[in-house]
Structures are given as C-alpha cells and as structure tokens.
Amino acid sequence: RGGWVALVGPTLAPPLLAAKRFQQAPTGLDATFTLGEAYTFPNPAKGGTSPTFHVETGIADRVEIAVYNVAAELVDRLVLDGSQLTTVNNRYCYEAPWDISRVASGVYVYTVRAIKAGAPDLTVVKKLAVMK
C-alpha cells in the first residue's frame, strides 16, 4: 500500500463508537455550521486511557472521523449523525471516546469531516499519540 487514502465519496461504514445523545436543544446557543475547536483529550493518551474526540461544528448532519497510522492505513472510523449532538461549555459539539484496546502505542493521524446539506464540508487533520 502506498500513499494516503482520500476521504471523498460516500459515507464511511456504520459507526464503531457512539457519542453522547443530545436530548433537548438549549436556548441561546449559536447553531451556525462552522468549524470551531477540534481536538482529542487526553493527548497523549497514556496508560490505556481512551482519548475522546471533541469537535465543535455547530449543528451538522453528520461528522465523520477516520483514524490512520503513520503508514496511512485506516485504523478505525466512526460516523456521528445529527442525533448525537451535545453541548460543552455552551457550544454545540460532538464528543466520542475512542477505544484504544485494539491499537498499538504510536502516533495516529485523524481526519474530521463535518457535513451539512447545502454547505461546504468542514475538514481538519490532527494528530493523536497513544502510549500504553
């Protein structure tokens, strides 16, 4: 295998992880579809502690996260839909833990792609370290 895998075309496979369910929309929050903060915590993930993906996008139809190793091989992926929206610090966001029990220590690259009908996709590429 050589090169990077492009994330274009149809949606990724069904989610391997689940995010917190968003029960009721709070008032006064900005729902504008725009990319805010995107990160994992803790980073580095040490001692078997699973990192959590945190993505602020306003309200999206779907958020896709793909995790790659340094050889550009797909390691894991998850898809969060609009029903999995939550709020943190008065901001709309998506959060999902990543089960690292199946991966080795190392550096991983992950892509976040937020999708909303009628708007350009929001994308970002980040790094995450796992130290077992």
Side-chain angles (χ1 to χ4, degrees):
R1 299 182 200 199
W4 288 90
V5 176
L7 287 180
V8 266
T11 63
L12 296 172
L16 300 175
L17 303 173
K20 294 184 244 174
R21 294 276 176 193
F22 185 72
Q23 300 299 326
Q24 184 174 355
T27 57
L29 295 181
D30 184 6
T32 305
F33 183 64
T34 184
L35 186 61
E37 293 188 57
Y39 55 86
T40 56
F41 64 92
N43 188 6
K46 297 179 182 179
T49 300
S50 291
T52 298
F53 293 103
H54 173 94
V55 182
E56 296 174 8
T57 62
I59 297 178
D61 295 333
R62 181 174 73 248
V63 175
E64 301 173 347
I65 300 171
V67 182
Y68 299 89
N69 63 21
V70 292
E73 299 168 324
L74 183 65
V75 173
D76 210 346
R77 63 180 157 229
L78 59 111
V79 178
L80 307 172
D81 64 25
S83 69
Q84 295 165 309
L85 185 65
T86 189
T87 60
V88 173
N89 296 328
N90 293 320
R91 293 187 179 118
Y92 287 114
C93 66
Y94 296 82
E95 282 194 348
W98 183 38
D99 178 7
I100 60 170
S101 64
R102 299 168 286 136
V103 300
S105 294
V107 175
Y108 295 87
V109 174
Y110 65 95
T111 61
V112 175
R113 180 176 163 205
I115 300 163
K116 185 170 182 84
D121 293 355
L122 305 174
T123 58
V124 65
V125 177
K126 299 281 190 161
K127 292 182 209 172
L128 165 65
V130 174
M131 300 169 62
K132 291 188 171 181

PDB file of all heavy atoms in Angstrom, residues 42 44-51 100 105 129-132:
ATOM      1  N   PRO A  42      -7.399  12.853  26.707  1.00  0.00           N
ATOM      2  CA  PRO A  42      -6.050  13.418  26.817  1.00  0.00           C
ATOM      3  C   PRO A  42      -5.240  13.107  25.561  1.00  0.00           C
ATOM      4  O   PRO A  42      -5.496  12.132  24.872  1.00  0.00           O
ATOM      5  CB  PRO A  42      -5.473  12.706  28.037  1.00  0.00           C
ATOM      6  CG  PRO A  42      -6.165  11.385  28.076  1.00  0.00           C
ATOM      7  CD  PRO A  42      -7.560  11.649  27.539  1.00  0.00           C
ATOM      8  N   PRO A  44      -1.085  13.243  24.880  1.00  0.00           N
ATOM      9  CA  PRO A  44      -1.167  11.828  24.542  1.00  0.00           C
ATOM     10  C   PRO A  44      -2.061  11.049  25.512  1.00  0.00           C
ATOM     11  O   PRO A  44      -2.195  11.414  26.676  1.00  0.00           O
ATOM     12  CB  PRO A  44       0.285  11.349  24.649  1.00  0.00           C
ATOM     13  CG  PRO A  44       0.916  12.279  25.634  1.00  0.00           C
ATOM     14  CD  PRO A  44       0.225  13.606  25.445  1.00  0.00           C
ATOM     15  N   ALA A  45      -2.632   9.980  24.984  1.00  0.00           N
ATOM     16  CA  ALA A  45      -3.427   9.063  25.803  1.00  0.00           C
ATOM     17  C   ALA A  45      -2.439   8.074  26.424  1.00  0.00           C
ATOM     18  O   ALA A  45      -1.758   7.350  25.718  1.00  0.00           O
ATOM     19  CB  ALA A  45      -4.447   8.339  24.940  1.00  0.00           C
ATOM     20  N   LYS A  46      -2.334   8.092  27.744  1.00  0.00           N
ATOM     21  CA  LYS A  46      -1.336   7.265  28.441  1.00  0.00           C
ATOM     22  C   LYS A  46      -1.997   6.188  29.285  1.00  0.00           C
ATOM     23  O   LYS A  46      -3.098   6.373  29.796  1.00  0.00           O
ATOM     24  CB  LYS A  46      -0.484   8.139  29.364  1.00  0.00           C
ATOM     25  CG  LYS A  46       0.330   9.183  28.664  1.00  0.00           C
ATOM     26  CD  LYS A  46       1.125  10.002  29.666  1.00  0.00           C
ATOM     27  CE  LYS A  46       1.915  11.096  28.997  1.00  0.00           C
ATOM     28  NZ  LYS A  46       2.657  11.901  29.962  1.00  0.00           N
ATOM     29  N   GLY A  47      -1.263   5.085  29.465  1.00  0.00           N
ATOM     30  CA  GLY A  47      -1.672   4.042  30.397  1.00  0.00           C
ATOM     31  C   GLY A  47      -3.003   3.391  30.089  1.00  0.00           C
ATOM     32  O   GLY A  47      -3.708   2.973  30.996  1.00  0.00           O
ATOM     33  N   GLY A  48      -3.375   3.306  28.830  1.00  0.00           N
ATOM     34  CA  GLY A  48      -4.630   2.658  28.470  1.00  0.00           C
ATOM     35  C   GLY A  48      -5.855   3.546  28.575  1.00  0.00           C
ATOM     36  O   GLY A  48      -6.974   3.081  28.363  1.00  0.00           O
ATOM     37  N   THR A  49      -5.679   4.816  28.921  1.00  0.00           N
ATOM     38  CA  THR A  49      -6.809   5.740  28.992  1.00  0.00           C
ATOM     39  C   THR A  49      -7.285   6.061  27.584  1.00  0.00           C
ATOM     40  O   THR A  49      -6.501   6.508  26.743  1.00  0.00           O
ATOM     41  CB  THR A  49      -6.405   7.054  29.692  1.00  0.00           C
ATOM     42  OG1 THR A  49      -5.966   6.749  31.008  1.00  0.00           O
ATOM     43  CG2 THR A  49      -7.562   8.040  29.738  1.00  0.00           C
ATOM     44  N   SER A  50      -8.562   5.833  27.314  1.00  0.00           N
ATOM     45  CA  SER A  50      -9.114   6.114  25.989  1.00  0.00           C
ATOM     46  C   SER A  50      -9.261   7.612  25.773  1.00  0.00           C
ATOM     47  O   SER A  50      -9.853   8.302  26.599  1.00  0.00           O
ATOM     48  CB  SER A  50     -10.479   5.448  25.825  1.00  0.00           C
ATOM     49  OG  SER A  50     -10.330   4.052  25.761  1.00  0.00           O
ATOM     50  N   PRO A  51      -8.741   8.119  24.654  1.00  0.00           N
ATOM     51  CA  PRO A  51      -8.925   9.535  24.350  1.00  0.00           C
ATOM     52  C   PRO A  51     -10.345   9.781  23.838  1.00  0.00           C
ATOM     53  O   PRO A  51     -10.998   8.874  23.337  1.00  0.00           O
ATOM     54  CB  PRO A  51      -7.897   9.795  23.256  1.00  0.00           C
ATOM     55  CG  PRO A  51      -7.740   8.481  22.576  1.00  0.00           C
ATOM     56  CD  PRO A  51      -7.923   7.439  23.655  1.00  0.00           C
ATOM     57  N   ILE A 100      -8.986   2.340  22.540  1.00  0.00           N
ATOM     58  CA  ILE A 100      -7.622   2.082  22.051  1.00  0.00           C
ATOM     59  C   ILE A 100      -7.118   0.687  22.410  1.00  0.00           C
ATOM     60  O   ILE A 100      -5.947   0.391  22.204  1.00  0.00           O
ATOM     61  CB  ILE A 100      -6.636   3.155  22.571  1.00  0.00           C
ATOM     62  CG1 ILE A 100      -6.589   3.158  24.096  1.00  0.00           C
ATOM     63  CG2 ILE A 100      -6.967   4.513  22.001  1.00  0.00           C
ATOM     64  CD1 ILE A 100      -5.480   4.006  24.677  1.00  0.00           C
ATOM     65  N   SER A 105       0.809   1.368  20.714  1.00  0.00           N
ATOM     66  CA  SER A 105       1.349   2.694  21.021  1.00  0.00           C
ATOM     67  C   SER A 105       1.881   3.307  19.740  1.00  0.00           C
ATOM     68  O   SER A 105       2.395   2.610  18.868  1.00  0.00           O
ATOM     69  CB  SER A 105       2.498   2.575  22.036  1.00  0.00           C
ATOM     70  OG  SER A 105       2.019   2.129  23.269  1.00  0.00           O
ATOM     71  N   ALA A 129      -1.415  10.912  19.979  1.00  0.00           N
ATOM     72  CA  ALA A 129      -0.425   9.937  20.418  1.00  0.00           C
ATOM     73  C   ALA A 129      -1.050   8.981  21.431  1.00  0.00           C
ATOM     74  O   ALA A 129      -1.841   9.397  22.294  1.00  0.00           O
ATOM     75  CB  ALA A 129       0.777  10.634  21.043  1.00  0.00           C
ATOM     76  N   VAL A 130      -0.689   7.696  21.325  1.00  0.00           N
ATOM     77  CA  VAL A 130      -1.138   6.675  22.267  1.00  0.00           C
ATOM     78  C   VAL A 130       0.103   6.069  22.891  1.00  0.00           C
ATOM     79  O   VAL A 130       1.021   5.631  22.179  1.00  0.00           O
ATOM     80  CB  VAL A 130      -1.966   5.585  21.559  1.00  0.00           C
ATOM     81  CG1 VAL A 130      -2.299   4.446  22.515  1.00  0.00           C
ATOM     82  CG2 VAL A 130      -3.242   6.167  20.956  1.00  0.00           C
ATOM     83  N   MET A 131       0.155   6.070  24.231  1.00  0.00           N
ATOM     84  CA  MET A 131       1.294   5.499  24.964  1.00  0.00           C
ATOM     85  C   MET A 131       0.729   4.493  25.962  1.00  0.00           C
ATOM     86  O   MET A 131       0.143   4.881  26.954  1.00  0.00           O
ATOM     87  CB  MET A 131       2.063   6.598  25.683  1.00  0.00           C
ATOM     88  CG  MET A 131       2.621   7.641  24.742  1.00  0.00           C
ATOM     89  SD  MET A 131       3.268   9.102  25.579  1.00  0.00           S
ATOM     90  CE  MET A 131       4.572   8.405  26.564  1.00  0.00           C
ATOM     91  N   LYS A 132       0.921   3.208  25.685  1.00  0.00           N
ATOM     92  CA  LYS A 132       0.372   2.175  26.569  1.00  0.00           C
ATOM     93  C   LYS A 132       1.384   1.762  27.605  1.00  0.00           C
ATOM     94  O   LYS A 132       2.539   1.891  27.475  1.00  0.00           O
ATOM     95  CB  LYS A 132      -0.078   0.973  25.750  1.00  0.00           C
ATOM     96  CG  LYS A 132      -1.297   1.316  24.915  1.00  0.00           C
ATOM     97  CD  LYS A 132      -1.846   0.075  24.275  1.00  0.00           C
ATOM     98  CE  LYS A 132      -3.174   0.378  23.623  1.00  0.00           C
ATOM     99  NZ  LYS A 132      -3.763  -0.772  23.008  1.00  0.00           N
TER     100      LYS A 132
END
